[in-house]
């Protein structure tokens, strides 16, 4: 479960045109706020969200937030810190995660048309990472409004009201807030809905090895950039952005780091997406390399049960005659929510589906030929579940990706997950 820290950022870091600007943090804060405003307008979403995510990552890496001592938050302590000249960090109660979860559920209801309340201005909504002084009172009003909906959850209602009081006390002295969530463990979320595992004999498909949506040179450059990002992040448990390259590049490079070997040390990298959300960490270099590595093949392997699966339904209908089923239902995954939540849904669902496959085909080796159909969180959630299953029980499962190349053409991946 993530823990949340609230950092009080004094007025001097937000003022414009002051000769006593504290280092380089002020322009970074201004850029985050400006990017969020542009994202909320909906123009050039992909580029702006990517820049926004990178900017947030730079902000979190600043020494003001990495090295700050964080104490449990009280209104009095935070008010005193807001009057100072240094960034001060405070731990928010563990229940704050539950408050954010309730806020997300309400936001989903609004987006589904089940709630008619007016939308909240960008920067004032619950869950905002950076809240400048001029938006704090609107943020406090939103907290009070949300608290009024929590009559059946008195502890969370009190927490929301306290948080509103904190926001107003900080705004009074012209300070602002940076809020950072950190994944400290991997407790399970409620499982996704059940779906039966098919027991039919798989059909045959011969995917063609054509490439053309992204040139080979373009994929190579993206793969090298992502590879370097992982190599820098793995030793320190740093972040990698899974929205910076297509799902096929991410899948292939993550597969390269699946096995232990060389000078690489087993560890996790933190996963972030273009919308600024952070998903469950991805384990790398944690599996001993098989004594005999399977060479990817298009032809069926004797003695191995093969399942031809589309990653997600309704993406490439021309696949329907050739695959047994889709791993995910499009309507369950393509929901408006933070990308990290889609990742988590896909991970939890995949963990359960793999367990069912293991029971259904008990005593047999299974090769999943997974035909990718886009959407990075769906792929990352699936392969994280595969890595988890392989770490617990090896020998029964192999997964070979196939990547869309236009029409009915798919290219076979270069690494088998086994």
């Amino acid at each position: 479960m993530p823990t949340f820290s609230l950092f009080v950022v004094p007025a001097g870091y937000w003022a414009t045109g002051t000769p006593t600007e504290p280092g380089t943090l002020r322009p970074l804060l201004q850029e985050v706020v400006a990017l969020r405003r542009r994202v909320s307008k909906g123009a050039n979403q992909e580029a702006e969200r990517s820049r926004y995510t990178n900017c947030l990552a730079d902000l979190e890496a600043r020494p003001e937030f990495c090295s700050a001592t964080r104490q449990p938050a009280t209104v009095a302590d935070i008010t005193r810190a807001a009057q100072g000249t240094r960034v001060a960090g405070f731990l928010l109660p563990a229940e704050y995660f539950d408050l954010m979860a309730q806020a997300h559920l309400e936001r989903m209801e609004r987006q589904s048309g089940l709630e008619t309340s007016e939308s909240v201005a960008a920067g004032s909504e619950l869950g905002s990472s950076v809240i400048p002084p001029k938006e704090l009172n609107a943020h406090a009003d939103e907290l009070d409004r949300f608290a009024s909906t929590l009559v059946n959850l008195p502890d969370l209602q009190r927490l929301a009201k306290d948080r509103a009081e904190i926001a107003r006390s900080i705004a009074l002295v012209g300070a602002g807030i940076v809020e950072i969530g950190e994944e400290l463990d991997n407790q399970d979320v409620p499982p996704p809905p059940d779906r039966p595992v098919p027991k039919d004999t798989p059909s045959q498909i011969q995917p063609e090895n054509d490439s053309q949506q992204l040139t080979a040179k373009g994929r190579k450059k993206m793969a090298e950039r992502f590879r370097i990002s992982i190599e820098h992040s793995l030793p320190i448990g740093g972040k990698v952005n899974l929205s910076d390259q297509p799902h096929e590049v991410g899948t292939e490079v993550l597969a390269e780091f699946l096995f232990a070997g060389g000078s690489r040390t087993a560890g996790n990298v933190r996963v972030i997406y273009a919308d600024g959300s952070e998903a469950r960490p991805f384990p790398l270099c944690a599996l001993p390399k098989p004594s005999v590595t399977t060479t990817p093949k298009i032809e069926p392997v004797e003695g191995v049960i093969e399942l031809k699966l589309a990653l997600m339904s309704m993406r490439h209908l021309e696949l329907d005659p050739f695959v047994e089923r889709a791993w995910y239902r499009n309507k369950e995954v393509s929901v408006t929510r933070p990308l990290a939540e889609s990742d988590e849904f896909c991970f939890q669902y995949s963990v359960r589906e793999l367990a069912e496959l293991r029971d259904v085909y008990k005593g047999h080796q299974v090769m999943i030929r997974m035909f990718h159909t886009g959407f990075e969180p769906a792929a990352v959630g699936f392969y994280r579940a595969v890595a988890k299953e392989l770490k617990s029980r090896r020998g029964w499962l192999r997964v070979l990706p196939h990547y869309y190349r236009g029409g009915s053409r798919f290219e076979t991946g270069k690494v088998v997950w086994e």
Side-chain angles (χ1 to χ4, degrees), residues 340-358:
E341 291 187 17
S342 293
D343 176 317
E344 182 67 14
F345 174 90
C346 293
F347 170 72
Q348 294 288 350
Y349 181 84
S350 298
V351 167
R352 295 188 62 198
E353 288 287 280
L354 289 172
E356 287 194 43
L357 281 176
R358 185 183 350 108

Side-chain angles (χ1 to χ4, degrees), residues 384-398:
R384 187 191 291 104
V386 170
K388 175 178 168 37
E389 180 65 24
L390 292 175
K391 188 175 181 181
S392 301
R393 306 166 191 84
R394 297 185 76 180
W396 76 273
L397 176 66
R398 296 172 186 165

Side-chain angles (χ1 to χ4, degrees), residues 29-42:
L29 287 168
Q30 288 182 337
E31 185 176 2
V32 168
V33 173
L35 284 168
R36 184 184 60 210
R37 190 177 300 114
R38 291 201 289 272
V39 167
S40 69
K41 292 179 179 178

Side-chain angles (χ1 to χ4, degrees), residues 105-349:
L105 289 175
E106 184 195 61
R107 187 161 59 249
M108 293 293 293
E109 289 178 353
R110 287 182 176 184
Q111 292 171 345
S112 300
L114 304 177
E115 229 285 352
T116 56
S117 301
E118 294 182 2
S119 60
V120 182
S124 301
E125 70 270 24
L126 302 185
S128 294
S129 301
V130 178
I131 311 172
K134 64 182 181 180
E135 293 171 1
L136 270 176
N137 283 319
H139 180 66
D141 292 342
E142 172 62 10
L143 280 160
D144 282 336
R145 181 208 62 77
F146 184 57
S148 69
T149 69
L150 301 174
V151 291
N152 296 323
L153 298 168
D155 291 342
L156 294 187
Q157 185 178 58
R158 181 68 259 166
L159 181 58
K161 290 180 177 179
D162 287 346
R163 183 68 171 66
E165 183 182 354
I166 287 171
R168 290 193 176 94
S169 69
I170 295 173
L172 280 174
V173 294
I177 287 174
V178 171
E179 207 169 86
I180 294 175
E182 184 176 1
E183 183 85 26
L184 294 183
D185 59 51
N186 289 329
Q187 295 179 2
D188 289 341
V189 299
D194 288 321
R195 283 203 269 137
V197 178
K199 300 185 182 182
D200 355 348
T201 304
S203 61
Q204 301 301 314
I205 182 173
Q206 297 289 332
E208 298 177 35
N209 195 6
D210 271 313
S211 112
Q212 286 16 94
Q213 308 224 305
L214 182 66
T215 65
K217 185 176 181 180
R219 280 196 299 277
K220 184 176 180 181
K221 285 184 177 179
M222 286 185 174
E224 183 58 29
R225 184 178 64 188
F226 188 43
R227 198 175 289 116
I228 291 171
S229 176
I230 290 178
E231 287 173 344
H232 287 169
S233 300
L234 185 58
I236 60 173
K239 296 179 181 179
V240 294
N241 189 340
L242 267 297
S243 296
D244 270 358
Q245 57 281 314
H247 60 92
E248 61 181 86
V249 173
T251 300
E252 287 294 293
V253 175
L254 288 172
E256 292 176 17
F257 286 82
L258 185 62
F259 305 119
S263 59
R264 293 172 179 168
T265 304
N268 295 323
V269 290
R270 295 168 66 185
V271 173
I272 59 173
Y273 287 103
D275 61 354
S277 60
E278 180 171 350
R280 182 184 294 254
F282 203 105
L284 296 174
C285 302
L287 295 174
K289 193 169 184 177
S291 54
V292 178
T293 303
T294 302
T295 302
K297 295 180 180 179
I298 295 177
E299 299 77 16
V301 179
E302 185 177 353
V304 176
I305 294 171
E306 292 199 0
L307 302 178
K308 310 281 194 307
L309 307 176
L311 186 63
M312 197 182 308
S313 66
M314 302 303 293
R315 289 301 180 104
H316 295 301
L317 300 183
E318 63 274 13
L319 270 176
D320 288 355
F322 306 108
V323 297
E324 278 76 45
R325 59 172 283 200
W327 188 257
Y328 304 119
R329 283 194 178 105
N330 187 61
K331 69 177 183 179
E332 293 173 354
V333 175
S334 298
V335 176
T336 303
R337 57 187 167 197
L339 295 175
E341 291 187 17
S342 293
D343 176 317
E344 182 67 14
F345 174 90
C346 293
F347 170 72
Q348 294 288 350
Y349 181 84

